[in-house]
Every structure is written in structure tokens, then in C-alpha cells.
Amino acid sequence: DQGPPSSSSSSLEISLSDEDVMGCAATAGEESKRGTHGQESKNHLEEKEVEGRPPARRRSSTAAMAAQGRLERYASWYRANEHWIAPFEQALQSAIWFLPDSAGSEVSTELLHSAASMWTVANDQVLMLTEETKEMDELRSVERKFPSLLLPLLVATVEQFETVVEVLVARSLRARPRDGTDAMAANAGPLPRERYAWLSLVEAAKASLRLALLYRSQGTSCMLLDGGVSGVAKAVDASVSLERAKAKRTEAFLAFRSRYLAPPSSGAAAAAASALEMEDGPNREVVLDLRRDGARLLALAEVLHVCRPVIYCSLLYRHGAQSWKPWCVSLMAELVACYSTHRCVRRSRSLHTNPVCVRESEARWARMVLYFARSPFYDAFTRGRLKSVRRALKPVPLLGAAANAGYNLLDEIQEYYTYTSG
């Protein structure tokens, strides 16, 4: 069947008899009746299926539907008032750092900041679960069934409270009495290396949740977005962009031909006009140009990206933060993972035309700058350069005070793994 000819095509006279018109009308009426009857039958079957379930499953389905309705109402309220809720969340998280110092203030400050951040994380998860748009569903995969929908929330929860775990473990290890070591000297010295054993367990739990999220999102899903908090990116249909480019070239040629050569035929104009409409047809075949070798390379790179923090923490516990072996092994693992992912994204149209895949690949490259703030590179190179900058800006009003405060802050947070883990 050909679509209606465009306005630029030549006029075409079509004569239809009364019987043909009445036959088309009758056919359309029968199709409409069949469609309405089919929808009623489908609804009736769904109602019978729900009624035929056991009472326990029926109650669980009703509870799930009620919870989904409450989430949608809360998401609608949040979207309507997001213009003042988002600044309030940021102000609350920033105000916590200005609390007065007291005994144990470091732990309480981190705990309050993580709790305040969890409100923002929970709101983002609710918005992601209730946002059902065709465009986003084609770009990323989001689990909306219980209990799989809890995986991104669990990953975000572990990320928010891992700093609290590190601070608590460091304080407890420093408070533990040691032979021949003064308590004041232990608190003033570097953080104990034994904390990396607990951090390895935290990273292993986080990696298990991310791998489970990758496994649950199998199929065309391929890349974790923001560590799995924002879902999993998908390989899009490569034929859509090809057909759209072909349709644009056809339209440009027909416009040139109608202006300078001869009027286009009705068939060519109709094909160009309906090319974009045929892209979303139900019978169109989905084309993924990611080959099996590329898919395996991307999967291995994603697994390496997920498991790298576990390897890094284990090596830190064994060799210490001043050893170059954990730093070099972690850097090499991240370079291999980022380069493999970047190569697959650039070579595959199914990944390169997905903007969330490109953004995630670029964000992983940007996080490589954190290696300048990790020991022993920070102790050997970065700290000396920062001291030179602070010394040069010290005579300058305002800039000298800001440089001194920034240096002290960076030098303090650099001791903790979770601040520079990325």
C-alpha cells in the first residue's frame, strides 16, 4: 500500500464507485468492531485471570498496584514542586557541613549528610521508576518489577553510607590499644590499613548488586549508567538512523528535481513521505550492528569496570596505600575497561547513536583525574605542586585564603578512600 502523495507531486485523478466507498466503510466498521470486541475480551480475560489467582497472590497483586499508585502520586507532586524542593535538598546537604565541632562530630556529620542525600536518591529513584516515556525506554532499561526495582536503590544506599562505614571503622581501630603506641600519637598518625578489609567487603557487596543488575537487564542492555543507579544503557536500533538519513536524501533529491528538472512521480514522493512513518512500524526488523566479538568485549569490559574497586581495595589491604602496586594495577584495569568500552561505542552505530552510552563513556574517562588525588601519586607529585600554588597565591588577598583552605580540605579528605574512589 502506498501513502498519500505529497503536495509537491503531480495531481492524480482517482475514480471510485459507490460500491467501493461503501465497501471500504463497511470494512472499516468491521475492523473497529473487531478491535473493540478484542479489547473487551482481553480485559475480561485479565479480570478472570486475577480472580482465578490464589488469595495470597491476589492480595500481593493488589498491594503492588496500590504501592505503584502511591509512587505515581508522589512523583506527580514532586515534579510539580521540583522548583523549590531541589534547592532545599542542596541547601540542607550543604548546611550540615557547618555544624559546630564536638566529640564524634566527624561520624555524626557524615551520618547526617548521608541521610540527607538519601532523600535526594529516593526521589531520583521514584522519578526514574514512574517515568515511562518511549524515548527513554528505547535508550535505557529500568527494572520496574519487585524485587528487581530495589537493586539501583541498594547500590545508591551503599554508595551513600560507605563513607560512614570507613569513618566508623577508622575511629574504632584508632581507639583500640596497641603495644608501645600512645593514644594521641595513634590519632594523629595515618589511618590504619586494616580498614581496607572492611572496605573490600563493602565494594564486594556493591559489585554483586551491580552484576545482578546487569544480569537482570540482559538482552540489548549493555552499560551501567552512573554505576547502576540510573539504570542500564541499551543498544538502539541501527536501522532507524539509516532509514532517516536515506529518507532525507530522497526528499532533497526530489526537491532539486521538481525545481530544476521535472516533477517527481507520485510513487517516489509517496515513498519519501512515508519513509519516516515506516520506521516505527510493528513489522520492521530491529537491526543491531554490534557483532558477537564486540558484545563479548563490551561485557568483559563492564565486568572489569565493576570488579576493579574490589581488586583495588584488596591490594590496598595487602600492600598499603604507600605502595605503587595497587595504584598501578587499578589504573591499568580502568584504562583497559574504558578503552574497550570506548572502542565498542565508537565502532557500533547501535551504541554510538545512543546519547546515554556516549555520556557514560565520557564520564568514565573524566573520573580518571581522581588518580592524581590517590596515594602514592598524591604524596609524590600532587601535594608538592599544590604547595607551590598555595605559596604563590599567599600574598594575594582572598585568593591566598581560598587556596590555603582548599589545600587543607583536599589534604584532609585525601586520606579517606571513599572520597577519591569515584
Side-chain angles (χ1 to χ4, degrees):
D1 295 335
Q2 295 182 355
S6 60
S7 57
S8 61
S9 62
S10 59
S11 60
L12 180 65
E13 296 182 359
I14 302 177
S15 59
L16 295 176
S17 63
D18 294 340
E19 296 179 358
D20 294 334
V21 175
M22 293 300 295
C24 294
T27 304
E30 291 176 1
E31 291 291 339
S32 177
K33 291 180 180 179
R34 282 200 295 268
T36 306
H37 182 67
Q39 183 66 28
E40 293 177 355
S41 302
K42 182 179 180 181
N43 296 335
H44 183 64
L45 289 176
E46 291 179 354
E47 293 176 358
K48 290 183 65 178
E49 182 180 358
V50 173
E51 293 177 357
R53 292 177 180 175
R57 292 187 60 186
R58 195 184 309 169
R59 286 194 296 269
S60 63
S61 301
T62 305
M65 294 175 61
Q68 183 69 19
R70 287 192 292 268
L71 285 179
E72 291 178 355
R73 288 194 296 271
Y74 178 78
S76 300
W77 174 81
Y78 185 88
R79 291 189 180 96
N81 301 276
E82 191 175 3
H83 60 280
W84 66 266
I85 297 180
F88 174 75
E89 293 174 349
Q90 297 176 359
L92 179 62
Q93 296 175 15
S94 301
I96 292 175
W97 297 109
F98 295 95
L99 294 176
D101 295 337
S102 60
S105 62
E106 190 177 10
V107 179
S108 60
T109 301
E110 289 292 346
L111 188 60
L112 288 175
H113 185 268
S114 299
S117 300
M118 279 305 302
W119 185 23
T120 305
V121 169
N123 289 330
D124 293 340
Q125 292 296 312
V126 170
L127 294 179
M128 184 178 65
L129 291 175
T130 56
E131 182 183 17
E132 296 184 0
T133 58
K134 182 179 179 182
E135 291 78 9
M136 291 305 300
D137 290 340
E138 292 178 353
L139 299 180
R140 69 178 182 182
S141 173
V142 177
E143 290 289 340
R144 293 185 172 90
K145 295 182 179 180
F146 186 83
S148 300
L149 60 88
L150 296 178
L151 290 176
L153 182 60
L154 291 176
V155 173
T157 304
V158 174
E159 288 181 350
Q160 291 299 325
F161 285 95
E162 61 182 355
T163 305
V164 180
V165 173
E166 184 178 10
V167 173
L168 285 173
V169 171
R171 286 179 61 88
S172 62
L173 291 176
R174 278 181 169 179
R176 183 183 303 173
R178 296 184 181 182
D179 298 336
T181 305
D182 189 9
M184 295 293 294
N187 290 330
L191 296 178
R193 192 174 71 181
E194 289 78 6
R195 76 185 191 276
Y196 291 117
W198 295 90
L199 291 175
S200 299
L201 296 178
V202 174
E203 292 291 354
K206 191 163 55 175
S208 301
L209 292 173
R210 288 172 174 172
L211 291 176
L213 186 60
L214 272 177
Y215 177 77
R216 293 292 301 174
S217 303
Q218 59 185 349
T220 57
S221 304
C222 51
M223 291 177 61
L224 290 173
L225 299 176
D226 300 327
V229 178
S230 302
V232 187
K234 299 169 63 176
V236 299
D237 187 4
S239 64
V240 173
S241 56
L242 292 176
E243 291 178 1
R244 181 172 288 121
K246 182 179 179 180
K248 289 182 178 180
R249 289 195 300 268
T250 305
E251 290 178 355
F253 172 73
L254 292 178
F256 173 80
R257 180 183 176 184
S258 62
R259 183 174 181 180
Y260 296 104
L261 300 178
S265 60
S266 59
S274 61
L276 297 178
E277 298 178 0
M278 293 176 61
E279 290 181 2
D280 299 327
N283 298 324
R284 183 179 53 81
E285 183 180 359
V286 177
V287 178
L288 300 178
D289 62 343
L290 187 62
R291 297 182 179 179
R292 179 172 299 181
D293 295 338
R296 289 178 178 176
L297 179 61
L298 184 61
L300 291 176
E302 203 67 17
V303 172
L304 181 60
H305 173 73
V306 170
C307 297
R308 183 206 58 82
V310 184
I311 301 173
Y312 184 44
C313 275
S314 302
L315 292 176
L316 285 174
Y317 173 66
R318 183 174 181 179
H319 300 280
Q322 298 302 320
S323 175
W324 283 94
K325 188 173 183 179
W327 190 87
C328 293
V329 171
S330 177
L331 178 62
M332 292 301 299
E334 192 146 13
L335 283 175
V336 170
C338 290
Y339 175 75
S340 301
T341 303
H342 178 76
R343 181 181 179 183
C344 293
V345 170
R346 301 299 295 181
R347 290 191 173 186
S348 173
R349 185 181 295 271
S350 298
L351 299 177
H352 185 61
T353 53
N354 189 346
V356 295
C357 289
V358 177
R359 182 188 62 83
E360 178 64 24
S361 179
E362 294 175 351
R364 292 181 183 183
W365 281 112
R367 283 193 292 268
M368 299 286 291
V369 73
L370 292 174
Y371 279 90
F372 293 102
R374 297 175 185 172
S375 297
F377 189 91
Y378 177 83
D379 302 325
F381 299 98
T382 309
R383 177 177 288 163
R385 305 302 182 274
L386 292 178
K387 284 183 177 180
S388 301
V389 174
R390 183 184 63 170
R391 192 180 307 112
L393 295 178
K394 187 176 181 179
V396 182
L398 296 180
L399 287 180
N404 186 42
Y407 172 80
N408 294 333
L409 179 62
L410 180 60
D411 197 52
E412 181 180 355
I413 68 176
Q414 188 272 336
E415 297 181 355
Y416 292 93
Y417 163 82
T418 52
Y419 282 130
T420 59
S421 62

